[in-house]
Amino acid sequence: MTKKVRTFFSTSNQLAFRHKLGHKIKAIKERLAVIRDDRQFHLEERHEESRVVARREDSHSYVPEEEVIGRDEDKMAIMKFLMDEKIEENVAVISIVGTGGLGKTTLAQLVYNDETVQKNFDLRMWVCVSNDFTVRLLVEKILKFATDKDLKNMEMDQLQKDLRKEINVKRYLLVLDDVWNENDGLWLSLKILLSNCAKGSRIVVTTRSTRVGEIMSTVEPYILEGLDKDKSWSLFEKVAFKHGHEASNSNIAEIGKQIVKKCGGIPLVIRTIGRMLYFKNSETEWLSFLEEFSRVPQNDILPTLKLSYDNLPSHLKQCFASCQLFPKDYEINVEMLINVWMALGFVKQSDSTKSLVDTGTS
Ligand SMILES: Nc1ncnc2c1ncn2[C@@H]1O[C@H](COP(=O)(O)OP(=O)(O)O)[C@@H](O)[C@H]1O
Ligand SMILES: [Mg+2]
C-alpha cells in the first residue's frame, strides 16, 4: 500500500494520480459527510478565526443501551424515584449532578428510553437547556417537543396557556438536560407553569452545578460517581483496541491499565484517550503516552485534552477533526486515513527528504 501511494506521488505520475484520486476524494468526501452527520460530537472549523473548535452538540434523548457500561444501579435509583407512588407533590424533581463528561446525559437517556418508564408516563419530553435558560425559551422548547407546532411570534401569554393546557391532566416526564443557570427566580416561574399536571409527573435535571441541583430538586440531588476500575477498563478496552485484539500484548494491557487509572472514571476522558491510543500500536508509543499523561494533574485532564488539541498547528487540527468523523467503533485503517489526509491536502511536507506518507505517519 505504501509503495502504491509513493508511486502515485512520483512526479512522473502526477496526471494519472490526479485523475484517479479526483474520484476517490469525491467518494471519500461523500462518505465523510454521511459519517459526520452520525456523530454526537462535532469538531467544526470556524473560518473567520481559521481554527477548529471542539463543540458539544445539543443533547437528544436517544442512546443505544449496549454502548453504555456500568450504569445499572444508577438507572435503578433514578427509576425508583420516577415510579415512587408515595411522593405527594404533583410534580417532583430530581437532579443528576456531576462534572462534565461523567455520563449524566447518558444516564438520563437510559432512564428516558426504558420501557417501564415509557409506559408509566402519558407524555415524555426532552429539552437541552445549556445556556439559554429564559422562561420563554424553555416554554417554547418544551411546547415544541410536545406539540411540534410552529411557535414563532407567539405571545408569552399564549405560550404559557398552551403549555398548561398540554400538560393538564397528563402525567409527564420532562428531562431538562445540562442546566447551568443558578437563578432560582427563573426556575420558580417555570415550575409554576409546569405544576398544572397529573400526580406522578417528574422532572429530571442534569447539571454540573451542585447549587443548581439544590435549587431545583425536591428530593436529594443524585450525585453521580465515576465508573469503578473494572468498568473503566471495559470501556477503555472497547474503544482502544481493534475488535478481536483486545490487549493481546500483556505489556500494553498493563500500561493501558495505568493510563485508565488516571482517567478518574470519567467516560468522556476514557473514550477520548482510548480513541487516541487506538492509533498507537507499539509498546514504546503507549509508554511515552503514559509518561506524558502522568505529568498532567488529575483536575487538569479535561482542560488539557482540549488544550493539547487547541495548540496543534491548524493542519494537524484538521487531521484530528477528520478522525472524529469516523463512527465510534469504526476500524480506521491508518494508511487509508493518511490517504484521506493527503487527498484533502492536510499533510504538509515540512521536510523535503521525507515522503508525504512518512510525514503523515509521523
Ligand atoms: N457508562 C458509560 N459507558 C460508555 N460510555 C459512556 C458512559 N457514560 C457516558 N459515556 C460517553 O461519554 C461521553 C460523555 O457522556 P455524557 O453523558 O454526555 O456526559 P455528561 O452529560 O455528564 O457531560 C459520551 O460520549 C457518552 O456516550
Ligand atoms: Mg450532558
Side-chain angles (χ1 to χ4, degrees):
M1 181 67 168
T2 313
K3 197 170 156 231
K4 241 173 147 183
V5 175
R6 281 211 183 97
T7 323
F8 256 153
F9 274 89
S10 75
T11 40
S12 60
N13 200 21
Q14 286 294 311
L15 272 179
F17 163 71
R18 271 166 208 264
H19 180 71
K20 277 193 188 162
L21 207 58
H23 289 290
K24 285 195 178 168
I25 294 172
K26 192 161 171 265
I28 290 169
K29 278 188 168 167
E30 281 166 8
R31 183 114 182 264
L32 288 178
V34 172
I35 295 167
R36 180 195 59 217
D37 296 341
D38 194 35
R39 296 280 309 164
Q40 185 183 354
F41 286 88
H42 289 259
L43 289 162
E44 60 174 32
E45 183 154 19
R46 284 195 185 160
H47 292 290
E48 75 276 16
E49 294 171 21
S50 84
R51 69 189 199 99
V52 184
V53 288
R55 175 168 73 87
R56 292 184 76 173
E57 282 283 288
D58 276 4
S59 73
H60 54 78
S61 60
Y62 177 69
V63 68
E65 192 149 358
E66 64 281 2
E67 290 270 310
V68 183
I69 287 174
R71 286 298 188 203
D72 294 346
E73 278 174 32
D74 303 287
K75 184 182 164 193
M76 294 317 287
I78 304 291
M79 279 180 59
K80 189 163 170 259
F81 160 78
L82 296 187
M83 312 290 193
D84 189 348
E85 287 180 1
K86 286 191 231 86
I87 295 178
E88 285 300 325
E89 300 120 302
N90 275 2
V91 49
V93 187
I94 195 167
S95 27
I96 304 174
V97 182
T99 52
L102 201 57
K104 302 176 294 296
T105 301
T106 306
L107 174 58
Q109 287 169 325
L110 274 184
V111 171
Y112 187 91
N113 289 310
D114 183 274
E115 251 179 58
T116 330
V117 170
Q118 293 191 29
K119 283 192 195 126
N120 187 59
F121 294 95
D122 306 316
L123 174 66
R124 291 175 310 133
M125 296 167 287
W126 180 282
V127 170
C128 180
V129 181
S130 295
N131 287 323
D132 35 313
F133 193 113
T134 67
V135 176
R136 188 197 158 95
L137 253 166
L138 280 181
V139 170
E140 249 183 57
K141 280 191 174 183
I142 296 169
L143 256 180
K144 182 140 197 337
F145 196 100
T147 63
D148 214 18
K149 268 195 221 140
D150 183 13
L151 308 162
K152 270 189 213 121
N153 310 321
M154 227 192 218
E155 291 295 326
M156 183 58 203
D157 196 50
Q158 190 57 45
L159 282 174
Q160 63 89 8
K161 273 187 197 148
D162 281 10
L163 175 64
R164 289 190 304 119
K165 200 171 115 208
E166 190 57 38
I167 58 176
N168 184 22
V169 303
K170 277 191 192 143
R171 185 208 285 239
Y172 72 82
L173 167 65
L174 169 65
V175 175
L176 295 174
D177 189 37
D178 211 13
V179 178
W180 290 79
N181 198 310
E182 298 183 345
N183 178 339
D184 39 2
L186 282 180
W187 169 237
L188 276 177
S189 334
L190 181 71
K191 209 176 158 197
I192 291 170
L193 301 179
L194 287 167
S195 301
N196 187 27
C197 56
K199 189 170 176 270
S201 294
R202 298 283 185 268
I203 299 176
V204 175
V205 174
T206 82
T207 179
R208 292 176 207 192
S209 149
T210 356
R211 170 120 183 85
V212 170
E214 282 159 6
I215 293 171
M216 295 178 85
S217 306
T218 56
V219 293
E220 275 292 294
Y222 188 82
I223 310 293
L224 188 62
E225 305 284 341
L227 299 179
D228 68 19
K229 196 171 127 221
D230 293 341
K231 287 164 188 156
S232 296
W233 177 247
S234 309
L235 176 56
F236 180 80
E237 265 196 313
K238 227 174 125 181
V239 187
F241 301 108
K242 295 174 182 68
H243 291 308
H245 295 84
E246 276 78 3
S248 48
N249 173 334
S250 64
N251 289 344
I252 286 195
E254 203 34 58
I255 303 167
K257 281 183 181 151
Q258 292 186 46
I259 293 172
V260 172
K261 228 193 253 170
K262 292 266 313 170
C263 295
I266 302 178
L268 180 63
V269 176
I270 301 174
R271 272 189 183 277
T272 312
I273 303 278
R275 257 186 248 140
M276 280 157 100
L277 288 167
Y278 184 93
F279 295 105
K280 299 188 189 290
N281 294 319
S282 76
E283 205 177 311
T284 341
E285 285 176 301
W286 278 61
L287 256 182
S288 71
F289 183 88
L290 171 62
E291 268 169 31
E292 262 178 55
F293 194 42
S294 302
R295 281 192 227 116
V296 183
Q298 190 82 38
N299 289 342
D300 289 349
I301 291 179
L302 269 177
T304 305
L305 282 175
K306 188 178 174 312
L307 204 82
S308 59
Y309 175 77
D310 282 349
N311 285 342
L312 289 172
S314 151
H315 64 282
L316 287 184
K317 277 181 188 164
Q318 296 185 38
C319 296
F320 191 79
S322 65
C323 296
Q324 302 283 319
L325 290 164
F326 293 94
K328 278 182 217 130
D329 294 322
Y330 189 82
E331 293 206 13
I332 302 173
N333 174 319
V334 175
E335 283 184 8
M336 193 277 263
L337 185 68
I338 293 168
N339 276 334
V340 174
W341 290 348
M342 291 194 305
L344 297 173
F346 294 164
V347 183
K348 300 255 187 316
Q349 200 159 18
S350 51
D351 175 352
S352 55
T353 58
K354 268 185 168 179
S355 74
L356 278 174
V357 178
D358 292 341
T359 312
T361 314
S362 62

